[in-house]
């Protein structure tokens, strides 16, 4: 019996010592102390021991059992410590490594151009205002001297919500909305999104942006309009920029003009950029039509004013020499971050 016990103890010690994972340790425990374990089996055979020897043998069995338990405990703690150390080592943080950079994107060329235009006009004392993108036909057309059946309505075909409500085709309706409020004088710009049912190509999009300008005061003349836009062009494209006013027609201004600037690429001698002409068209403008003033509650005998409308994408494309408008809408970061 004694030899048997010793053999079990030795075997148990060896197996426990060799356990290098909690599962193996558990296997060893089951193997010796479990219900069908070797020591348990031995305990069951106590009945075969002669009664006088039972207390002694019983004590020996208990001692072996305790030794195994103790060994199990020591190896288990040791194993846990080693596992913990290994884990800590694997999870160690090197605080000297450079931090990951947060990618915060890039301002869109439209935004950069808009902020530039706003900076110029705010510097001249203009206020920046906004109007609705979903607009009444009344403001988008009627109050701007474009009655039903006017051919200009055809040119600016848009998306109709119903017969009275449209997605605005221009930022000009903001003129009427501001004039109607009756607070004079007015010096404002109104940037925003506009819509037309145009097919997408290198120079067209069903949705683009304009910046409207409006000045209403006593004694405003065409000279003020010229001076203002000349100054604007110089600030935007450079001091040496020259400006040309070509007669044009807009229903809500009289007289009206389109403004060209001398090509900032070739200085006006003609290049690929200005298609050889030396000039680049940038905006439409004019003196606010007396009938428009009247419809918006302003006395045309007392007040006069000028207005202009610039395409924001056009400015961005020119300023950053982008040759396809579609690039502005794809929002590819590799493209955007160049500006
Ligand atoms: N709204 C015009 C357009 O979209 C542009 C324009 C022309 C605006 C003359 C004006 C202006 O304020 O005076 O074609």
């Amino acid at each position: 019996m004694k030899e048997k016990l010793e053999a079990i103890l030795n075997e148990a010690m060896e197996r426990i010592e060799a356990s290098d994972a909690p599962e193996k340790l558990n296997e060893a425990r089951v193997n010796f102390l479990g219900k069908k374990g070797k020591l348990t089996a031995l305990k069951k055979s106590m009945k075969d021991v002669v009664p006088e020897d039972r207390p002694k043998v019983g004590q020996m069995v208990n001692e072996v059992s305790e030794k195994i338990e103790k060994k199990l405990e020591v190896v288990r703690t040791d194993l846990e410590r080693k596992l913990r150390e290994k884990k800590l080592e694997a999870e160690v943080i090197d605080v000297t490594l450079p931090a990951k950079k947060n990618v915060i994107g890039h301002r869109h060329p439209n935004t950069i151009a808009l902020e530039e235009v706003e900076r110029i006009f705010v510097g001249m004392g203009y206020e920046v205002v906004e109007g609705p993108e979903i607009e009444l036909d009344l403001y988008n057309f009627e109050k701007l001297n474009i009655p039903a059946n006017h051919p200009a309505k055809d040119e600016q075909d848009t998306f109709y919500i119903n017969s009275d409500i449209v997605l605005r085709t221009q930022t000009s309706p903001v003129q009427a909305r501001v004039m109607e409020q009756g607070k004079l004088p007015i010096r404002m710009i109104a940037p925003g999104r506009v819509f037309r049912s145009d097919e997408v190509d290198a120079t067209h999009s069903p949705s683009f942006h304009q910046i409207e300008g409006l000045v209403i005061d006593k004694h405003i003349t065409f000279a003020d309009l010229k001076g203002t836009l000349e100054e604007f062009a110089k600030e935007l494209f450079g001091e040496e920029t020259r400006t040309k006013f070509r007669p044009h027609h807009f229903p809500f201004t009289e007289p009206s003009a389109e403004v060209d600037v001398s090509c900032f690429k070739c200085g006006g001698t003609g290049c690929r950029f200005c298609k050889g002409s030396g000039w680049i068209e940038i905006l439409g403008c004019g003196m606010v039509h007396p009938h428009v003033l009247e419809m918006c509650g302003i006395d045309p005998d007392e007040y006069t004013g000028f207005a202009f409308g610039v395409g924001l994408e056009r400015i961005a494309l020119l300023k950053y020499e982008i040759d396809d408008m579609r690039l502005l809408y794809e929002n590819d970061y590799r493209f955007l971050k160049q500006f």
Side-chain angles (χ1 to χ4, degrees):
M1 195 69 173
K2 196 177 171 194
E3 293 82 58
K4 265 192 192 167
L5 268 171
E6 256 164 24
I8 289 176
L9 180 63
N10 287 342
E11 199 197 335
M13 290 297 161
E14 239 168 67
R15 277 207 49 186
I16 294 170
E17 193 79 55
S19 303
D20 53 5
E23 308 83 64
K24 285 187 185 163
L25 204 61
N26 201 40
E27 260 169 39
R29 168 191 294 280
V30 171
N31 218 285
F32 294 97
L33 306 179
K35 264 189 191 160
K36 291 176 184 162
K38 288 182 180 167
L39 196 67
T40 320
L42 207 74
K43 274 184 191 166
K44 281 180 188 157
S45 65
M46 281 286 281
K47 57 183 189 304
D48 304 332
V49 176
V50 284
E52 312 88 85
D53 288 347
R54 275 187 200 160
K56 210 173 160 202
V57 174
Q59 198 189 342
M60 275 161 59
V61 171
N62 282 343
E63 273 171 21
V64 168
S65 175
E66 267 169 34
K67 275 184 187 159
I68 295 177
E69 292 270 13
K70 215 177 222 163
K71 185 73 180 171
L72 278 168
E73 181 60 24
V74 170
V75 173
R76 192 179 57 79
T77 335
D78 194 49
L79 212 63
E80 277 174 1
R81 185 179 51 78
K82 277 189 190 144
L83 282 175
R84 203 168 40 242
E85 275 168 9
K86 223 181 195 168
K87 202 172 162 211
L88 278 175
E89 219 168 278
E91 286 175 359
V92 85
I93 297 167
D94 183 352
V95 292
T96 65
L97 280 175
K100 265 191 207 155
K101 277 211 185 107
N102 265 348
V103 181
I104 55 166
H106 191 281
R107 280 190 308 164
H108 192 279
N110 273 358
T111 311
I112 305 174
L114 173 59
E115 284 177 0
E116 179 68 5
V117 173
E118 285 183 350
R119 186 190 63 74
I120 295 168
F121 282 106
V122 168
M124 296 187 205
Y126 285 58
E127 202 182 336
V128 181
V129 303
E130 275 181 18
E133 289 171 6
I134 301 170
E135 184 56 285
L136 291 170
D137 182 278
L138 180 72
Y139 289 108
N140 196 83
F141 295 121
E142 290 280 332
K143 291 209 176 217
L144 296 173
N145 246 354
I146 310 169
N149 306 321
H150 191 287
K153 246 179 146 162
D154 236 13
E155 280 162 30
Q156 299 194 2
D157 194 16
T158 184
F159 306 94
Y160 282 80
I161 307 290
N162 58 37
S163 59
D164 298 326
I165 302 172
V166 301
L167 298 191
R168 66 176 176 190
T169 60
Q170 44 186 355
T171 43
S172 305
V174 188
Q175 288 187 31
R177 285 183 172 272
V178 171
M179 284 191 276
E180 253 187 13
Q181 287 172 5
K183 280 184 233 143
L184 295 164
I186 295 166
R187 223 183 269 135
M188 68 93 177
I189 55 168
R193 190 184 283 274
V194 300
F195 307 85
R196 297 198 190 169
S197 70
D198 279 336
E199 294 288 335
V200 175
D201 66 26
T203 52
H204 291 86
S205 161
S207 159
F208 56 104
H209 299 78
Q210 289 185 334
I211 306 164
E212 195 73 15
L214 176 69
V215 170
I216 306 281
D217 204 346
K218 289 173 179 165
H219 316 300
I220 297 288
T221 69
F222 200 91
D224 297 306
L225 170 60
K226 278 193 85 174
T228 303
L229 293 181
E230 274 169 15
E231 196 50 39
F232 166 63
K234 282 182 179 171
E235 284 240 24
L236 194 62
F237 295 113
E239 194 51 40
E240 59 298 326
T241 308
R242 284 166 293 124
T243 326
K244 181 165 79 176
F245 286 70
R246 272 184 293 105
H248 199 77
H249 171 262
F250 296 105
F252 40 90
T253 43
E254 181 60 36
S256 306
E258 274 189 335
V259 175
D260 298 345
V261 291
S262 56
C263 178
F264 45 85
K265 198 86 198 190
C266 63
T269 52
C271 67
R272 199 183 61 92
F273 205 66
C274 55
K275 298 195 183 89
S277 76
W279 295 95
I280 297 170
E281 180 201 321
I282 61 158
L283 57 79
C285 64
M287 300 305 291
V288 180
H289 198 294
H291 188 226
V292 171
L293 289 173
E294 256 168 13
M295 280 189 286
C296 296
I298 294 173
D299 180 357
D301 291 329
E302 197 179 352
Y303 284 93
T304 51
F306 64 78
F308 54 89
V310 196
L312 178 59
E313 278 81 356
R314 181 145 181 82
I315 300 288
L317 296 181
L318 286 172
K319 225 174 139 54
Y320 305 116
E321 296 179 27
I322 302 164
D323 56 13
D324 193 325
M325 191 169 173
R326 285 167 287 201
L327 287 164
L328 290 176
Y329 303 117
E330 284 165 3
N331 287 333
D332 186 328
Y333 182 61
R334 290 166 303 179
F335 167 75
L336 295 178
K337 73 178 178 190
Q338 297 174 61
F339 307 100

